[in-house]
């Protein structure tokens, strides 16, 4: 979507950039000329992904082990990135943990692990980068990957909902506080985009009774009738963190094919009324008036 070289000379740090959506965003940014720093817990996965990304995009890629919950890990990643590339210009808070479960079945540790990865991890990375950026006095920006239940809430992934709501508040708050330092903070809220990480923890489709599987399906839930394509999200993220979006600050852009609005709309059920019933319904309504 952006012109070649849009990110030439820029360095982007993507947490969880070795798999799934983070990796897809990395591919697009690498092809647009960015230096990439990807960081996550699994050393072998992140190092292998760095090799593959360098090969696929021609970008310079640093793949570093890091648990975003640990500030010392985050600082070590930033030290290495500053040493290799001079600075980081863009932080993408993408790392997350999540799984479906009835909330009352969760141990306090299960709740904590998800909130810590999502919220504490984003706080750690944003704070560590922000301090360096403010000391530098140069423009920079943060993009956090949330989802639509950051504002609707949702049952069955409650720790994630709490974490993502906090991350959205973090972005909106810092957009105001750090705007004067020319640090933009935004969020993106994807609907369902198939990844191994999400699908293996959130959509046990093969195990579901037929009716439940139907209600969980994209055709049923999403006005556009399909899941998202990684490139669609990667293009949007690239735009948000680019200089073309230099006036975008404190915003959260939804990319979900209309999913959350359909779930929220009071009369969305009307779409299930068979077409041939409408003359009768109209007659019934007019008869009552
Ligand atoms: C209940 C569970 C559980 C489950 C783990 N726990 N899985 N409880 N149901 N399915 C409990 C454990 O028993 C333990 O509590 C505590 O949680 C910590 O578990 P660990 O396995 O020790 O944690 P860890 O190895 O750090 O793994 C973290 C994780 C895991 C979050 C549980 O799933 C992970 O690594 N996820 C990273 C990737 C990920 O989740 N990707 C999906 C993002 S998708 P006790 O009390 O026993 O010690 C996403 C999409 C949003 O966010 C929107 C979609 C549309
Ligand atoms: P994913 O591939 O499982 O991505 C999660 C990444 O986070 C992994 O690379 C994982 O790597 C990393 N991670 C987890 N805990 C970490 C920690 N403590 N420190 C550092 N890294 C950690 O799943 P995904 O679907 O691509 O999700 C990416 C983002 O999109 C998440 O923020 C998710 O909430 C969001 N999202 C996804 C969807 C979707 O439909 N897929 C929809 C809405 C929002 P390690 O295991 O190596 O640490």
């Amino acid at each position: 979507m952006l012109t070649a070289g849009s990110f030439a000379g820029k360095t982007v740090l993507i947490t969880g950039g070795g798999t799934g959506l983070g990796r897809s965003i990395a591919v697009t940014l690498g092809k647009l000329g960015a230096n990439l720093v990807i960081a996550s817990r699994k050393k072998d996965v992140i190092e292998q992904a760095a090799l593959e990304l360098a090969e696929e995009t021609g970008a310079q890629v640093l793949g570093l082990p890091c648990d975003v919950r640990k500030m010392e890990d985050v600082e070590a990643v930033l030290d290495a990135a500053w040493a290799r590339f001079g600075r980081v210009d863009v932080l993408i808070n993408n790392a997350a943990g999540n799984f479906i479960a009835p909330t009352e079945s969760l141990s306090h540790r299960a709740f904590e692990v998800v909130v810590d990865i999502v919220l504490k991890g984003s706080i750690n990375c944003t704070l560590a980068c922000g301090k360096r950026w403010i000391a530098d006095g140069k423009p920079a920006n943060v993009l956090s990957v949330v989802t639509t239940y950051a504002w609707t809430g949702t049952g069955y992934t409650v720790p994630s909902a709490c974490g993502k709501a906090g991350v959205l508040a973090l972005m909106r708050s810092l957009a105001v506080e750090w705007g004067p330092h020319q640090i933009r903070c935004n969020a993106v809220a994807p609907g369902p985009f198939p990844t191994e990480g999400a699908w293996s923890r959130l959509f046990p489709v093969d195990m579901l009774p037929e009716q439940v599987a139907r209600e969980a399906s994209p055709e049923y839930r999403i006005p556009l009738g399909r899941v998202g394509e990684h490139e669609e999200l990667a293009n949007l993220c690239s735009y948000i963190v680019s200089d073309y979006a230099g006036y975008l600050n404190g915003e959260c852009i939804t990319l979900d094919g209309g999913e959350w609005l359909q779930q929220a709309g009071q009369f969305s059920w009307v779409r299930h009324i068979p077409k041939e019933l409408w003359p009768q319904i109209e007659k019934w309504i007019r008869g009552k008036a």
Side-chain angles (χ1 to χ4, degrees), residues 89-162:
D89 300 277
V90 177
L91 164 67
I92 302 184
N93 287 315
N94 166 80
N98 202 1
F99 51 80
I100 50 167
T103 307
E104 67 277 13
S105 74
L106 297 176
S107 68
H108 75 278
R109 274 216 358 104
F111 210 108
E112 190 177 75
V113 76
V114 172
V115 172
D116 278 2
I117 299 169
V118 174
L119 180 54
K120 194 172 157 193
S122 300
I123 290 171
N124 285 346
C125 296
T126 306
L127 186 61
C129 283
K131 286 182 184 201
R132 290 177 190 234
W133 289 334
I134 290 167
D136 262 7
K138 290 188 194 142
N141 76 83
V142 185
L143 173 65
S144 292
V145 183
V146 297
T147 189
T148 54
Y149 58 60
W151 58 90
T152 64
T154 188
Y156 307 103
T157 57
V158 172
S160 174
C162 296

Side-chain angles (χ1 to χ4, degrees), residues 160-227:
S160 174
C162 296
K164 296 290 192 187
V167 173
L168 184 55
L170 179 73
M171 292 299 100
R172 287 177 167 159
S173 305
L174 290 177
V176 174
E177 194 177 334
W178 288 357
H181 297 288
Q182 304 308 310
I183 299 170
R184 299 188 292 117
C185 292
N186 292 293
V188 65
F193 285 72
T195 65
E196 170 62 27
W199 257 237
S200 63
R201 294 174 174 94
L202 300 170
F203 297 104
V205 276
D206 296 340
M207 302 172 65
L208 300 175
E210 202 179 321
Q211 167 72 8
V212 183
R214 197 173 74 84
E215 289 190 20
S217 72
E219 295 76 20
Y220 186 88
R221 295 178 53 79
I222 304 172
L224 292 184
R226 64 171 177 90
V227 292

Side-chain angles (χ1 to χ4, degrees), residues 14-151:
I14 307 172
T15 64
T19 66
L21 297 179
R23 194 184 188 289
S24 298
I25 296 167
V27 168
T28 298
L29 289 169
K31 286 182 178 167
L32 289 168
N35 303 318
L36 300 171
V37 183
I38 55 171
S40 78
R41 294 167 302 176
K42 296 187 188 107
K43 190 170 184 289
D44 50 339
V45 172
I46 206 74
E47 288 178 352
Q48 181 60 31
L51 290 175
E52 290 169 10
L53 282 168
E55 173 95 0
E56 190 177 342
T57 67
Q60 293 195 62
V61 190
L62 198 53
L64 299 167
C66 167
D67 185 331
V68 292
R69 293 169 291 185
K70 298 181 183 154
M71 199 55 163
E72 61 275 22
D73 282 17
V74 172
E75 288 291 0
V77 166
L78 297 191
D79 285 345
W82 253 260
R84 169 86 176 264
F85 298 118
R87 80 188 296 256
V88 167
D89 300 277
V90 177
L91 164 67
I92 302 184
N93 287 315
N94 166 80
N98 202 1
F99 51 80
I100 50 167
T103 307
E104 67 277 13
S105 74
L106 297 176
S107 68
H108 75 278
R109 274 216 358 104
F111 210 108
E112 190 177 75
V113 76
V114 172
V115 172
D116 278 2
I117 299 169
V118 174
L119 180 54
K120 194 172 157 193
S122 300
I123 290 171
N124 285 346
C125 296
T126 306
L127 186 61
C129 283
K131 286 182 184 201
R132 290 177 190 234
W133 289 334
I134 290 167
D136 262 7
K138 290 188 194 142
N141 76 83
V142 185
L143 173 65
S144 292
V145 183
V146 297
T147 189
T148 54
Y149 58 60
W151 58 90

